[in-house]
Every structure is written in structure tokens, then in C-alpha cells.
Amino acid sequence: MDALAILVPVPAQVLTREVTTHSAEETTAFGRALVDLLVPPKLVLLRGDLGAGKTTLIKGIAAGFQAASEDDVTSPTFTLVHEYRGPQVTIYHVDLYRVDSPRELETLGLDDLLDNGLVLIEWGEKFPRFARDRDVEITIERLAEHDRRIRIVTR
Ligand code: ADP
Ligand code: MG
């Protein structure tokens, strides 16, 4: 047996929702409808290739919580963390695409954000601790130019 399998248990995989969208607008609409599922504090990983639609889905989630308008949600590829403050919920939108070392990750102070916020991380699976500790994992798969399969797994 793989010794790592004992040291790093994978969270239980419960497929909660699965949908195929056919436009960016359908994906943001789906994101708006996730508010009930994403009551903070939660660590949410968004997985999928570049251009899959992770940021697009987060536009809908942020709008659903009235934390930002869809247009105000942009990729934090260079700034690494964007904060959207809603009346009830503060969302932290993180993109770790350019973060490679645990030391760099440390400087972002994500642990403090996790205490009461909703933390949405693109490329978080690069770091095993996030893959292990996540509450929700959303995987987006590009099926065709405008078609995306979105799967949501919770523990
Ligand atoms: P990621 O954050 O995963 O790199 P983005 O959300 O930035 O991806 O980009 C997704 C791109 O795909 C956008 O240009 C969006 O308009 C386009 N797109 C086309 N169809 C869809 C769809 N069904 N869902 C989400 N995005 C879509
Ligand atoms: Mg993105």
C-alpha cells in the first residue's frame, strides 16, 4: 500500500451537484445559486485548466453573496488575493497559479482568512494541505468552446 495514503487521507468524495453549462452566463447563474452550499467558513478549491471557467464561476458566487458585481471580479493572477466584502460574507479569491513554494504561500496568510471567510482558491490543489483540508471541490471541464461540465464534491 502507498504509505502516503495513510499520512494524507483524501476527504470523502460526495458528489453534490453536476451540471453542464453552455455559456459563461449560464456558469455565472449557476454560481449565484451556490450561495446556500457555500455558507462560510469554507475552503473551496476550484480545479480546471486555464480558461475552464473558474474565475467566471466565482463572478457568479461573489454576485450571489452581494459581495461584488460580476464585472468587478477579475483574475488575481498577479495580486494573488482579491477580497470582496458583502453584507454578510467576505470572500477571498485566491489564484495560486504563480505560487510555487510553501514559503511564498506562507506570506499570503491564508490561514487567518480561513477562520471566518469564504476562501475560493484557483490552483489550490498544487498544495497537498489544501487538497486535504478543502470543504468543497469544484471541478470544471471544458467539453467544447462554450460547454463546461461542472462537478461539485463536498466532504
Ligand atoms: P479560468 O479562471 O478557469 O482560467 P476563466 O473563467 O478566466 O477561466 O475563463 C473562461 C473563459 O471561457 C471565458 O472567456 C468565458 O467567457 C469562456 N466561456 C465560454 N463558455 C463558458 C462556459 N460555459 N462557462 C464558463 N466560461 C465559458
Ligand atoms: Mg482564473
Side-chain angles (χ1 to χ4, degrees):
M1 195 203 288
D2 182 356
L4 268 180
I6 299 165
L7 296 172
V8 186
V10 176
Q13 304 278 304
V14 181
L15 182 62
T16 306
R17 302 204 193 161
E18 177 170 349
V19 73
T20 298
T21 64
H22 307 284
S23 66
E25 291 69 29
E26 268 185 50
T27 294
T28 54
F30 180 68
R32 284 173 181 265
L34 294 178
V35 166
D36 292 340
L37 189 74
L38 299 180
V39 176
K42 270 192 183 58
L43 171 61
V44 180
L45 295 193
L46 291 106
R47 306 183 64 149
D49 295 338
L50 279 177
K54 302 179 291 297
T55 300
T56 301
L57 183 66
I58 291 171
K59 287 175 183 280
I61 295 170
F65 280 105
Q66 298 169 43
S69 71
E70 290 181 7
D71 287 344
D72 286 338
V73 174
T74 56
S75 179
T77 307
F78 295 98
T79 45
L80 305 181
V81 183
H82 284 174
E83 179 177 328
Y84 315 121
R85 261 183 222 213
Q88 264 107 37
V89 172
T90 299
I91 297 176
Y92 299 96
H93 176 192
V94 185
D95 189 328
L96 299 181
Y97 187 70
R98 290 171 184 278
V99 175
D100 287 315
S101 71
R103 179 190 291 238
E104 264 178 284
L105 180 65
E106 201 62 39
T107 64
L108 298 180
L110 297 184
D111 290 324
D112 295 338
L113 310 182
L114 282 168
D115 288 342
N116 45 36
L118 174 61
V119 181
L120 308 174
I121 309 186
E122 302 186 39
W123 301 101
E125 73 277 9
K126 286 167 67 172
F127 296 92
R129 53 168 287 219
F130 290 135
R132 187 187 59 220
D133 293 346
R134 98 286 185 280
D135 300 295
V136 178
E137 188 167 294
I138 303 177
T139 303
I140 307 179
E141 207 182 328
R142 187 186 189 279
L143 303 178
E145 191 178 355
H146 297 291
D147 301 339
R148 304 289 190 273
R149 179 156 55 220
I150 306 173
R151 283 201 180 93
I152 301 185
V153 164
T154 55
R155 55 159 110 236

